[in-house]
Amino acid sequence: MITYELRDVDFDKIRRLVYEQCGINLREEKRELVKARLGKRLREGSFKSFADYYKHVTTREGTDELIVMIDSISTNLTFFFREESHFRKLRDVLPLMMEAAGAGEKVRIWSAGCSTGEEPYSLAMTARELAAPRRSEVQLLATDISTRVLKTAMSGIYSKDRFKNVPTALIKKYFQYGSERWEGYYRARKELKDMIKFMRFNLMETPPSDFVFDIIFCRNVMIYFDKETQSGLVNRFYNCLKKGGYFFVGHSESLTGLNHSFKYVEPSVYRK
């Protein structure tokens, strides 16, 4: 197997490109991760070096490979009902929002940086359990920059280990146990998948005008960004929220030190 040398100059160019494309700040300790994940792409594409690969992804012909490169670097492992306290808070506030919504209006939730989809499916299950007769009034948008993880999310097929925080009753209610080609896996039922729209979106871009939400989840994403990028992102989220809307970040994240207009509610939960 070919082993490629990742020179300092190549690593600097790659991490600068990744930062420009999606805001991820690849520190020195991520060097081996970059070498391992992109080394596979070099072998598969018969590139001679990281310099050769970088040259390719910065051309018009390399646009598709640039997307694959970002996919390879931005992987985020997750599972259902991660950080349970957020879902307890959601169970408190979502019924009030549904009650306040006008006739025919939907409560809109954005799962930003949804990875392989466990978060939006967890949100959908929570909404359905709270709003059995009115569940059509909750609508979810789930976005990620990685087309690879979105493919998994849209399939709704997961291994058993992702369900460690899911009560058995919910698994039976909202998932089908696999058979034949997906034996040993669980697949989300249609009624759950129908609540969610998945799409690719780069959080560094300005959201379109129809990105207006009551609740935004963006958890364990900002830890990859520097303070300047975090501030810009948080303010874009603020502009996408309705007045009184909630913003959830990961338990290891905080808006402390950032220039923003959110009101603090509790650790990792904010309100407009």
Side-chain angles (χ1 to χ4, degrees):
M1 183 175 68
I2 301 174
T3 301
Y4 296 92
E5 178 189 2
L6 180 56
R7 301 176 305 169
D8 289 347
V9 63
D10 299 324
F11 181 56
D12 287 343
K13 286 181 178 180
I14 288 170
R15 63 180 177 180
R16 187 162 57 246
L17 178 61
V18 169
Y19 182 82
E20 291 170 354
Q21 290 292 318
C22 60
I24 294 176
N25 186 19
L26 292 171
R27 295 179 289 273
E28 181 61 34
E29 57 266 30
K30 297 294 184 181
R31 187 187 187 105
E32 287 305 311
L33 178 145
V34 170
K35 183 178 179 180
R37 293 186 178 177
L38 296 190
K40 182 179 179 181
R41 297 302 307 164
L42 267 65
R43 286 188 291 273
E44 291 176 351
S46 299
F47 294 97
K48 297 178 181 178
S49 64
F50 279 99
D52 190 28
Y53 183 74
Y54 175 83
K55 182 178 179 180
H56 175 69
V57 298
T58 52
T59 63
R60 183 183 298 274
E61 293 75 19
T63 300
D64 289 343
E65 182 58 34
L66 176 61
I67 294 173
V68 175
M69 186 189 85
I70 298 300
D71 282 4
S72 300
I73 289 175
S74 61
T75 300
N76 180 28
L77 181 64
T78 186
F79 49 86
F80 291 96
F81 293 102
R82 183 178 183 180
E83 301 180 338
E84 169 60 26
S85 66
H86 288 156
F87 293 93
R88 289 198 297 271
K89 184 67 177 179
L90 185 65
R91 287 191 283 269
D92 289 338
V93 304
L94 190 53
L96 299 176
M97 288 185 162
M98 292 191 304
E99 189 66 33
E105 292 186 9
K106 295 180 181 290
V107 174
R108 301 190 69 207
I109 304 175
W110 181 10
S111 171
C114 69
S115 188
T116 44
E118 288 88 341
E119 179 177 274
Y121 284 118
S122 299
L123 294 170
M125 283 187 277
T126 301
R128 289 184 72 89
E129 288 298 289
L130 288 171
R134 307 174 55 189
R135 50 185 168 242
S136 63
E137 295 180 7
V138 177
Q139 186 179 66
L140 281 147
L141 174 68
T143 69
D144 202 279
I145 195 172
S146 170
T147 54
R148 182 169 55 84
V149 297
L150 284 171
K151 185 177 180 180
T152 298
M154 287 187 282
S155 76
I157 300 174
Y158 300 95
S159 58
K160 290 181 180 180
D161 62 316
R162 299 297 178 91
F163 291 85
K164 61 183 180 180
N165 293 337
V166 186
T168 301
L170 285 186
I171 297 175
K172 290 181 177 179
K173 188 172 183 179
Y174 295 116
F175 289 83
Q176 297 169 296
Y177 186 66
S179 60
E180 298 178 1
R181 65 188 179 90
W182 46 282
E183 186 174 359
Y185 289 75
Y186 290 99
R187 183 172 65 176
R189 294 185 184 274
K190 185 178 184 300
E191 59 266 29
L192 203 63
K193 296 174 75 171
D194 285 348
M195 293 178 66
I196 309 168
K197 176 184 178 181
F198 291 100
M199 66 175 286
R200 184 179 187 271
F201 180 72
N202 186 343
L203 292 176
M204 297 302 101
E205 298 174 0
T206 300
S209 59
D210 62 345
F211 271 42
V212 181
F213 301 92
D214 300 277
I215 298 169
I216 296 175
F217 273 63
C218 183
R219 305 184 304 162
N220 307 299
V221 173
M222 292 194 298
I223 54 175
Y224 297 104
F225 303 149
D226 59 21
K227 289 291 185 182
E228 181 181 357
T229 305
Q230 289 175 356
S231 292
L233 179 59
V234 165
N235 283 288
R236 287 193 292 277
F237 282 138
Y238 186 86
N239 292 334
C240 290
L241 268 179
K242 294 180 182 178
K243 184 176 181 181
Y246 285 85
F247 177 45
F248 293 79
V249 300
H251 286 329
S252 61
E253 298 171 317
S254 169
L255 303 193
T256 301
L258 303 181
N259 182 24
H260 68 89
S261 300
F262 279 106
K263 297 177 182 177
Y264 174 85
V265 177
E266 59 187 61
S268 65
V269 182
Y270 300 85
R271 196 175 190 187
K272 181 171 180 177

